[in-house]
Structure formats: structure tokens, C-alpha cells
């Protein structure tokens, strides 16, 4: 049964990564959907963990049957996800109604979540029936999760496509039954062999099947490839190519959008010599900026797969500039590149919109400081921000103002050119508002364009929206967007939600500016309610254990989210590093269960006060870790991977340590606590994921969220 538990951990983490990646593409890369999917996944897994009788011990054959079902389910899940838009009658290129999106996600995750929860419950009950402990079962499953995370990371690193990994996951799930002592000893014993043989040709033809399923949503498909950051899809017809990232329109070869960013920024500098382009180069920004005859252009592209795939199919007018001797291409994270970069006359930021934790880091005060340090005295920074040309709703105004204030806190002069796509230009010298001066510079360079003309430049600087937007940005009150308080991507999530709930678009969210004394009132009331709840449940040991484990899952998920996001923001973590960090967390989970089990089994732990001291120490550890992170984030400490990995290991150690403590302290029958404690752990993580990602970190900031985690850990001492 040890091998079963290990395999459950592997396929759980691997399956979660694969299905969430598919859902990300199906719902156009919206991070809110991704976060909701993680919460729903944990919820259904908790439901599976609670199903059935508490004392029921399944047979090995019954557990093996669940592995077979999982192996068949995974390819079906991918096919269902890729067909969601057709099954729900969606219009190509548009969002499904929000309730349909939630229904689709719930239907997708319900079977796999319940199945995995039931798998662990049954395997753990079988395991503990031989006088072993739930703590060790949890540790073995966590070790499997570590292997699953490593496998996912390595597969993506070596370019194995998502659907191919899905089939490998299915083969593992069925193939585990072939190991000695693991097979199904019934008349159905040949079923695993038959299914395994059926999956082998699917694996062989998986690249072809993958492209055909992608063609369901892209009838004019030319090519598609998964990268560690997104799925790149290229479609085309009659010589026109369209590039999608996670099925979101990125650019098309007949567009003039690159002209706006390149030329409107370049005419604000007398003579360009050194230019830095951070993302967006393949869509034509390099082509346009070369018309200003700079001596050197450095192009930094985070996603190497995007560049490699598009270069294979782009027309020669797009490929030739990439081969120019003037252009140097670097595959790196833009923020990491800036640390050791030289000085530039112009920096163009072509990164995606700030609607996720990953992309938001290119629109914060700290990022703008990095850019300012790498600009020459008269250097110019420019980026674009989509909104609307005529009407800015309150949410759009708050989002744009938060970025504007972050930028204005670094640069002495900022100009916003309004349109469907706003061009924002900043410098530490005075920028010209005289269109004639800019037009003269444009004409001197004899630039041929399709969109940017002298008349167009004059219109942008003289229409009534130019002054109106400047006044609105100056008068609106909003928190600046920073690394430790990434409020901008939360605004972006609300803007996306307002597409389905139109009344949201003009919500007044000024309550985030309430005074400290007013904001403390609900916090004090919540703390009082929690203390009262904890004191009441002390009378029931079973309920006490459940709430204790749920609290540990909640605090652990909030801390894990903050640590990974902070490292991502500060260090520009690559996907393989993120995978390493998640594996370290899983290693902490395994270590915590093993060590706490050993401590509680020792001779000195036979006294009740000694065992309680173990539980109290774990909760105090949560508080200390939260306060350490709070202090380091306030100091804007530049974490490298080792301290973050250590803190993630400790976080996992504390979560599983509390789980092991609750499962061992005054528990006579281990089978009875398998379902409630595992479900409590998952539900606590579910709530922590949703509240931490959607509310605490964006609105309160990382420092306040860490302080809250410390307070909750100390309040939980009342449970012991």
C-alpha cells in the first residue's frame, strides 16, 4: 500500500498541473478562473475524502479499480476542457457567461477531485489498518507529490507537450497495478492490461491528437506548442497570421499596433542610440524602432518558445529585423536582465496586461525604479495599457491611477496618450506637449508608416481627452501598485468580472482608504469571534482536531502563496525554479509528518503536557515564520532561491506537523480520523488559496497578510 500512496501523490500533483494548464487556456488565461479552479479542486477532493463510512476499510482490488478509472478519466478530461466552448454554445473568441464558466469548471473538476480524495481516503485506511499511522500515510503521499512536481517540471523543461504528459500520467496510474503485490486478483485482472495497451498507441499519436483537438477552437490552425509560461497557437489564412497566448489574441501580422508604441515613444527623444525592448518584439516593435536608426537594439524575450515558434512562420518583413546586426536577442526575465544591463536612451515595455501576479510585476513602482536606473539622463520609458477611448469606468480609473501613481513616484514627468490602447511615456526630463515639435522630429527621420502620421500625432496631443485624462489621473485617490501590494492585478480581475456583472464597473472602492482605527474594528471583532469559537470547541476533541488542521491548512496556503509571489516578483522566477520551490514545500510536508510522528512516539511524549508542547511549538512556528517574512518584506529584502526554499520547507513542515499532531494526540483508532482530518486540511487550503489570492494579498498587501497569519496562528493556541 506504500506504493499506492506514493503513486496517489504523484498523479495528484501531476494531474492538477495538467488540468489547470488546460483550464487556463480554455478560459483565456484569466488568473481569477485559475484561482477559482484551484479552490474548487481542493473542495471536491475534500468531498471525496469524506465519502463513505469512517470505519470502512476497502480491499486492495477496490483501490486498484480507482486507479484504472483515473487512468481513463484524464484523457477524457482534456477532451472535455478543449470542447467546453462548443458544448456550452460559446461564440468563437468571446467569453462564456460567468455562470457557465463556473459550471464548466465544476463539472471538469468534480470527477477527478472526488476520485483523488476517495483514493487517498481508501489507501490511507488500508495502510493504517496494519497498526500504522495516518501521519506516515500523509508523509508518503507528500513524497509522491514531490516526485509529481519534479516530473511536471522536467517534462515541460524538455518540451514534452501537455497532452502527452496526460497520457503518461494515465499509463502510470494503470501501470502501477502491474507491480508485484499490487495487481487486481479477480476475474477483472486483465482489464488493466487491456487499458494499458489501448493507451500506448494514443501516446504514440499524441502530437497529432493534440493538434486536432486544438483545431476545434482554431479551424485555421498552423501550429501550436506548450511552453512553461503559456500555450502558443498560430492560426492563419490568405497570408495573414494571428498569434495567441493561452488562446488570448496577442498580435496579427496586418496590425499597426506596434507603430503606436514604437514611434510615439521614439519621437520624444532627440537622438536614439541604445534601445531596450522588453517583450513584444516579434509583433513588429523591432521593425518599427529600427526606422529611427538606433545604433543598437537589445530585445529581451522571456518565452523562448514564443520566439522560436513565431520565427518559423512569420513573414519575411517580421523575420528580417530579428536577423539584423543591430539587434541582439536575449532569453531572460526582463527584471533580472535589468539588474546588470547598461544604460539606454529608450526602454519600451511590451509585456502583457497586469492581470496576473506574473504580469503585474512589470507595472509596479519597484520595476519602474529599475527602468529609471538604466536610463540615460534624457532617457524615455514607454509602455501601453488597454482601457477604453471615451469612457473610463471607476474600476478602469482606479487601475490606471494605481499604475500612474507608481510611475509618477519614480519619474518627474509622465504623459498619457489616451485611446483604446493608452500609450504612457515617462522621463526624468520635461516631455514635450507641443505636437509640432514632435511632428518635426518625426518628419526629419523620414519614417514610412501606415497609422502614425503627423495628423495623427497632432490629434493625440490636442483632442479634449488628452487634458481630461491628465486631470482625472491627478485627482483620483488610489493606492500605488507595488511589489508587496499588487493591487493592480486585483483591479484587473474586477474589471474582467464587470463584463458579466455590469453594475460592478462603477463600484466605489474608496473604502480601501479608510483610516487605520476604522479598519481595526472588524479585525478586533473577528479576532474576538475566533477566540470564542476556539474556546467553545475545546469541549469536543474531535471538532477541536478538525478546526486545528483546517487553520494550519489555511495559514500554510496563505504563507505559501505570499512566498512564491514575492520570489516571483523580486527574482523573476523561471518555471523550473517555481517547480523546485513547490517540490521543497512537498518535502517539508513529508518531513513534518515523519518527525512529529517520531516525537510523539518517543518515551518522553507519553506525558500529555509534553505532547501539547509539540502542538503549541508548531503554531508558534507559524507565527514566527510570518513575522520573519513581514520584517524582510518591509526591508524589501532581495530573496534568492535558497532562503525562499527554506521558508517554504518550514511552511510545509509546520502544516503537516500540525496534521500529524492532530491525528496522533489521544486518537485510538487511526481509521476514524482519516476522512475528517484530510478533508479539513484540504478545505483550509481551499479557503486560504481563495482569500489569500483574491483578497488578502492584493488589498491588504503582503506585510499585513503576514501579520494576519501570525495573529491567527497565535489565536489557534486556544485549541491546544
Amino acid at each position: 500500500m506504500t506504493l499506492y500512496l506514493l503513486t496517489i501523490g504523484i498523479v495528484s500533483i501531476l494531474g492538477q498541473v495538467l488540468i489547470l494548464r488546460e483550464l487556463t487556456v480554455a478560459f483565456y488565461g484569466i488568473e481569477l478562473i485559475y484561482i477559482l479552479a484551484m479552490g474548487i479542486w481542493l473542495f471536491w477532493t475534500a468531498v471525496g475524502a469524506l465519502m463513505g463510512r469512517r470505519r470502512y476499510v476497502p480491499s486492495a482490488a477496490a483501490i486498484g479499480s480507482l486507479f484504472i478509472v483515473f487512468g481513463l478519466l484524464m484523457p477524457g478530461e482534456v477532451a472535455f476542457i478543449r470542447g467546453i466552448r462548443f458544448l456550452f454554445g460559446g461564440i468563437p473568441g468571446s467569453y462564456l457567461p460567468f455562470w457557465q464558466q463556473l459550471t464548466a469548471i465544476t463539472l471538469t473538476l468534480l470527477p477527478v477531485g472526488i476520485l483523488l480524495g476517495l483514493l487517498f481516503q481508501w489507501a490511507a485506511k488500508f495502510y493504517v489498518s496494519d497498526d500504522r499511522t495516518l501521519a506516515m500515510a500523509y508523509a508518503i503521499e507528500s513524497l509522491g507529490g514531490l516526485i509529481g512536481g519534479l516530473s511536471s517540471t522536467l517534462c515541460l523543461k524538455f518540451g514534452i507537450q501537455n497532452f502527452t504528459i496526460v497520457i503518461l500520467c494515465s499509463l502510470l496510474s494503470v501501470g502501477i497495478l502491474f507491480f508485484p503485490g499490487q495487481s487486481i486478483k479477480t476475474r477483472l485482472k486483465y482489464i488493466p492490461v487491456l487499458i494499458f495497451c489501448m493507451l500506448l498507441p494514443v501516446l504514440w499519436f499524441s502530437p497529432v491528437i493534440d493538434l486536432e483537438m486544438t483545431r476545434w477552437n482554431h479551424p485555421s490552425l498552423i501550429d501550436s506548442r506548450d511552453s512553461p509560461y503559456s500555450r502558443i497557437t498560430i492560426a492563419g489564412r490568405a497570408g495573414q497570421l494571428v498569434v495567441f497566448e493561452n488562446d488570448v489574441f496577442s498580435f496579427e501580422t496586418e496590425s499597426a499596433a506596434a507603430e503606436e508604441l514604437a514611434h510615439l515613444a521614439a519621437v520624444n527623444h532627440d537622438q536614439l542610440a541604445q534601445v531596450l525592448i522588453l517583450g513584444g518584439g516579434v509583433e513588429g516593435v523591432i521593425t518599427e524602432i529600427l526606422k529611427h536608426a538606433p545604433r543598437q537594439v537589445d530585445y529581451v524575450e522571456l518565452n523562448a518558445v514564443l520566439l522560436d515558434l513565431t520565427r518559423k512562420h512569420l513573414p519575411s518583413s517580421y523575420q528580417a529585423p530579428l536577423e539584423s546586426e543591430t539587434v541582439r536577442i536575449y532569453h531572460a526575465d526582463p527584471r533580472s536582465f535589468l539588474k546588470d544591463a547598461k544604460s539606454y536612451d529608450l526602454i519600451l515595455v511590451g509585456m502583457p496586461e497586469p492581470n496576473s501576479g506574473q504580469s503585474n510585476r512589470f507595472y509596479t513602482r519597484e520595476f519602474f525604479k529599475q527602468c529609471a536606473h538604466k536610463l540615460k539622463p534624457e532617457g524615455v520609458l514607454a509602455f501601453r495599457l488597454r482601457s477604453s477611448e471615451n469612457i473610463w469606468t471607476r474600476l478602469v480609473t482606479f487601475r490606471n491611477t494605481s499604475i500612474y501613481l507608481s510611475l509618477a513616484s519614480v519619474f518627474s514627468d509622465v504623459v498619457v496618450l489616451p485611446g483604446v490602447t493608452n500609450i504612457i511615456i515617462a522621463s526624468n526630463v520635461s516631455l514635450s506637449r507641443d505636437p509640432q515639435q514632435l511632428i518635426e522630429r518625426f518628419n526629419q527621420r523620414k519614417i514610412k508608416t501606415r497609422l502614425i502620421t503627423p495628423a495623427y500625432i497632432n490629434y493625440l496631443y490636442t483632442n479634449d481627452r488628452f487634458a481630461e485624462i491628465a486631470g482625472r489621473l491627478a485627482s483620483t485617490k488610489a493606492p500605488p501598485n507595488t511589489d508587496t501590494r499588487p493591487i493592480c492585478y486585483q483591479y484587473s480581475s474586477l474589471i474582467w468580472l464587470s463584463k458579466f456583472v455590469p453594475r460592478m464597473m462603477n463600484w466605489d472602492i474608496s473604502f480601501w482608504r479608510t483610516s487605520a482605527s476604522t479598519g481595526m474594528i472588524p479585525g478586533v471583532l473577528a479576532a474576538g469571534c475566533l477566540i470564542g469559537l476556539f474556546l467553545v470547541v475545546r469541549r469536543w476533541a474531535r471538532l477541536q482536531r478538525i478546526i486545528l488542521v483546517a487553520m494550519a491548512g489555511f495559514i500554510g496556503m496563505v504563507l505559501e502563496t505570499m512566498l512564491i509571489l514575492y520570489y516571483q516578483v523580486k527574482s523573476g522566477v523561471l518555471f523550473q525554479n517555481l517547480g523546485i520551490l513547490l517540490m521543497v514545500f512537498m518535502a517539508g510536508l513529508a518531513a513534518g509528518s515523519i518527525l512529529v510522528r517520531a516525537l510523539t512516539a518517543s518515551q518522553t511524549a507519553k506525558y500529555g503536557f509534553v505532547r501539547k508542547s509539540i502542538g503549541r511549538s508548531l503554531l508558534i512556528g507559524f507565527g514566527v515564520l510570518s513575522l520573519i517574512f513581514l520584517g524582510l518584506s518591509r526591508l524589501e529584502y532581495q530573496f534568492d532561491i535558497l532562503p525562499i526554499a527554506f521558508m517554504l520547507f518550514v511552511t510545509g513542515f509546520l502544516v503537516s506537523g500540525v496534521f500529524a499532531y492532530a491525528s496522533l494526540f489521544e486518537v485510538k483508532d487511526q481509521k476514524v480520523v482519516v476522512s475528517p482530518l484530510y478533508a479539513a486540511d484540504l478545505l483550509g487550503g481551499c479557503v486560504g488559496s481563495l482569500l489569500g489570492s483574491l483578497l488578502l494579498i492584493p488589498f491588504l498587501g503582503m506585510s499585513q497578510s503576514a501579520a494576519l497569519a501570525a495573529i491567527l496562528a497565535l489565536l489557534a493556541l486556544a485549541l491546544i
Side-chain angles (χ1 to χ4, degrees):
M1 197 51 58
T2 299
L3 188 58
Y4 272 1
L5 286 168
L6 193 69
T7 305
I8 291 169
I10 295 173
V11 299
S12 293
I13 296 299
L14 192 56
Q16 185 181 64
V17 170
L18 298 172
I19 289 177
L20 289 179
R21 284 174 62 84
E22 291 291 336
L23 285 172
T24 298
V25 178
F27 294 103
Y28 302 106
I30 299 298
E31 185 165 278
L32 177 59
I33 290 293
Y34 185 87
I35 294 168
L36 290 173
M38 288 188 65
I40 293 171
W41 176 290
L42 292 171
F43 174 80
W44 286 124
T45 307
V47 171
L50 289 171
M51 291 177 64
R53 292 171 293 156
R54 287 189 297 160
R55 297 182 184 275
Y56 169 71
V57 179
S59 65
I63 299 172
S65 299
L66 293 183
F67 276 110
I68 295 174
V69 175
F70 181 83
L72 291 172
L73 182 63
M74 285 298 290
E77 287 276 315
V78 174
F80 176 78
I81 294 170
R82 297 199 185 182
I84 280 175
R85 298 173 203 165
F86 291 105
L87 294 173
F88 284 83
I91 299 173
S94 66
Y95 295 110
L96 292 171
F98 188 63
W99 69 269
Q100 287 189 359
Q101 295 188 51
L102 290 181
T103 301
I105 294 171
T106 302
L107 291 176
T108 300
L109 299 178
L110 185 151
V112 67
I114 289 180
L115 182 60
L116 288 172
L118 192 61
L119 253 175
F120 178 80
Q121 180 203 153
W122 282 9
K125 284 180 177 178
F126 194 98
Y127 181 82
V128 301
S129 63
D130 292 335
D131 294 327
R132 288 175 285 194
T133 64
L134 175 59
M136 278 304 299
Y138 190 84
I140 295 169
E141 193 233 8
S142 298
L143 284 173
L146 187 154
I147 298 172
L150 177 62
S151 302
S152 171
T153 300
L154 292 177
C155 286
L156 288 171
K157 181 178 180 180
F158 291 110
I160 302 176
Q161 299 301 282
N162 209 58
F163 182 68
T164 302
I165 306 174
V166 167
I167 304 303
L168 291 173
C169 184
S170 293
L171 286 169
L172 172 63
S173 180
V174 177
I176 195 67
L177 303 177
F178 301 155
F179 281 77
Q182 311 295 330
S183 60
I184 299 178
K185 298 178 181 179
T186 69
R187 60 182 179 177
L188 303 177
K189 62 182 179 180
Y190 295 111
I191 290 181
V193 178
L194 177 62
I195 294 174
F196 192 88
C197 292
M198 290 172 56
L199 287 172
L200 285 176
V202 177
L203 176 66
W204 179 261
F205 291 105
S206 60
V208 177
I209 298 172
D210 192 1
L211 285 175
E212 288 305 313
M213 286 194 294
T214 304
R215 203 180 300 276
W216 294 349
N217 295 300
H218 299 280
S220 301
L221 179 70
I222 293 176
D223 206 347
S224 181
R225 190 183 304 173
D226 290 313
S227 77
Y229 306 99
S230 60
R231 177 170 297 158
I232 312 300
T233 303
I234 300 178
R237 185 181 297 172
Q240 181 179 5
L241 298 184
V242 184
V243 179
F244 301 87
E245 286 193 69
N246 285 335
D247 273 12
V248 179
F249 171 78
S250 181
F251 70 93
E252 50 95 1
T253 54
E254 298 300 317
S255 171
E259 292 185 7
E260 288 190 286
L261 177 62
H263 299 308
L264 293 177
V267 294
N268 278 274
H269 197 283
D270 286 332
Q271 186 175 2
L272 293 178
Q274 308 289 335
V275 177
L276 174 63
I277 300 175
L278 303 176
V282 292
E283 65 180 272
V285 175
I286 294 177
T287 303
E288 299 304 322
I289 205 65
L290 287 177
K291 295 176 181 178
H292 293 264
R295 286 203 302 269
Q296 182 177 327
V297 176
D298 290 343
Y299 169 42
V300 181
E301 177 55 60
L302 175 65
N303 195 342
V305 174
L306 171 65
L307 184 59
D308 293 341
L309 192 64
T310 52
R311 289 178 78 169
K312 287 172 54 179
H313 303 286
L314 284 174
S316 57
S317 59
Y318 280 76
Q319 291 191 28
L322 297 174
E323 306 296 335
S324 171
E325 295 181 357
T326 305
V327 178
R328 297 180 183 178
I329 300 175
Y330 300 88
H331 294 301
D333 173 75
R335 288 188 63 159
S336 298
F337 180 85
L338 282 170
K339 293 177 185 177
D340 301 316
K342 57 189 176 185
S343 296
Y344 295 93
D345 300 297
L346 174 65
I347 297 179
L348 298 176
V349 181
M351 302 304 295
E353 291 282 294
N355 53 14
S356 69
Q358 168 65 23
S359 59
N360 183 76
R361 56 195 291 268
F362 300 109
Y363 299 86
T364 64
R365 180 169 55 201
E366 291 81 359
F367 172 70
F368 295 142
K369 284 183 179 178
Q370 279 188 289
C371 293
H373 291 156
K374 298 303 177 180
L375 283 172
K376 295 178 181 178
E378 296 184 355
V380 174
L381 169 71
F383 60 93
R384 53 197 169 188
L385 199 61
R386 292 185 180 90
S387 56
S388 58
E389 186 166 8
N390 294 319
I391 298 176
W392 281 13
T393 63
R394 281 185 175 178
L395 288 178
V396 170
T397 301
F398 280 119
R399 192 276 301 266
N400 291 353
T401 301
S402 69
I403 296 176
Y404 172 81
L405 292 176
S406 298
L407 187 65
S409 67
V410 176
F411 291 93
S412 60
D413 198 8
V414 178
V415 170
V416 178
L417 300 176
V420 175
T421 299
N422 303 291
I423 304 298
I424 295 93
I425 305 169
S427 180
N428 277 319
V429 297
S430 181
L431 293 168
S432 176
R433 269 86 169 166
D434 180 7
Q436 295 307 314
Q437 181 181 358
L438 301 175
I439 290 170
E440 182 181 352
R441 192 174 292 159
F442 181 83
N443 289 332
Q444 287 175 351
R445 297 175 185 176
K446 299 179 180 179
I447 298 172
K448 294 182 179 181
T449 59
R450 290 177 291 173
L451 174 66
I452 305 301
T453 63
Y456 187 73
I457 295 174
N458 184 72
Y459 164 75
L460 288 177
Y461 279 86
T462 58
N463 74 83
D464 55 353
R465 294 287 293 155
F466 182 79
E468 180 186 341
I469 291 303
R472 177 172 293 191
L473 290 171
S475 61
T476 302
K477 306 295 184 182
N481 192 42
T482 65
D483 283 350
T484 55
R485 192 182 183 187
I487 196 167
C488 183
Y489 89 83
Q490 186 60 35
Y491 288 148
S492 297
S493 297
L494 292 174
I495 292 170
W496 179 77
L497 278 175
S498 69
K499 298 176 186 292
F500 312 101
V501 187
R503 63 179 178 272
M504 288 179 58
M505 65 179 63
N506 282 310
W507 273 4
D508 185 359
I509 50 179
S510 59
F511 62 83
W512 284 307
R513 294 179 51 80
T514 55
S515 65
S517 58
T518 304
M520 288 177 61
I521 295 175
V524 172
L525 291 175
C529 292
L530 281 175
I531 293 175
L533 173 65
F534 293 163
L535 292 176
V536 169
V537 301
R538 283 172 62 91
R539 301 178 182 179
W540 297 279
R542 179 186 171 194
L543 189 56
Q544 182 180 343
R545 281 193 292 269
I546 291 173
I547 294 180
L548 181 62
V549 169
M551 287 294 297
F554 175 86
I555 298 170
M557 183 59 74
V558 172
L559 283 173
E560 179 188 5
T561 303
M562 285 194 299
L563 287 167
I564 291 177
L565 180 60
Y566 191 80
Y567 177 70
Q568 181 185 46
V569 166
K570 290 294 185 182
S571 302
V573 63
L574 298 176
F575 188 83
Q576 55 265 33
N577 289 350
L578 182 59
I580 291 171
L581 295 176
L582 292 175
M583 288 184 285
V584 169
F585 177 77
M586 299 302 296
L589 287 177
S593 288
I594 293 172
L595 183 59
V596 170
R597 174 185 173 277
L599 290 175
T600 54
S602 64
Q603 188 66 23
T604 56
K606 64 181 179 179
Y607 302 105
F609 75 92
V610 175
R611 288 197 169 193
K612 287 185 177 181
S613 297
I614 296 173
R616 292 191 183 103
S617 299
L618 293 168
L619 292 175
I620 292 172
F622 271 127
V624 172
L625 181 63
S626 301
L627 293 175
I628 291 174
F629 175 76
L630 187 155
L632 293 176
S633 63
R634 285 282 181 88
L635 296 172
E636 296 190 1
Y637 179 76
Q638 188 69 33
F639 285 112
D640 57 27
I641 194 169
L642 290 179
I644 284 288
F646 175 75
M647 285 191 282
L648 278 171
F649 178 87
V650 173
T651 301
F653 180 93
L654 294 172
V655 170
S656 64
V658 171
F659 182 92
Y661 168 81
S663 68
L664 294 168
F665 187 64
E666 297 181 354
V667 176
K668 296 180 181 179
D669 187 354
Q670 288 284 291
K671 295 189 295 295
V672 175
V673 297
V674 170
S675 292
L677 291 190
Y678 189 60
D681 178 53
L682 293 169
L683 289 174
C686 169
V687 177
S689 172
L690 294 175
L691 288 184
S693 301
L694 299 178
L695 181 64
L696 298 179
I697 297 173
F699 293 154
L700 297 182
M702 292 190 189
S703 298
Q704 289 85 343
S705 298
L708 177 63
I711 293 171
L712 289 176
L714 296 178
L715 291 177
L717 289 171
L719 292 170
I720 298 179

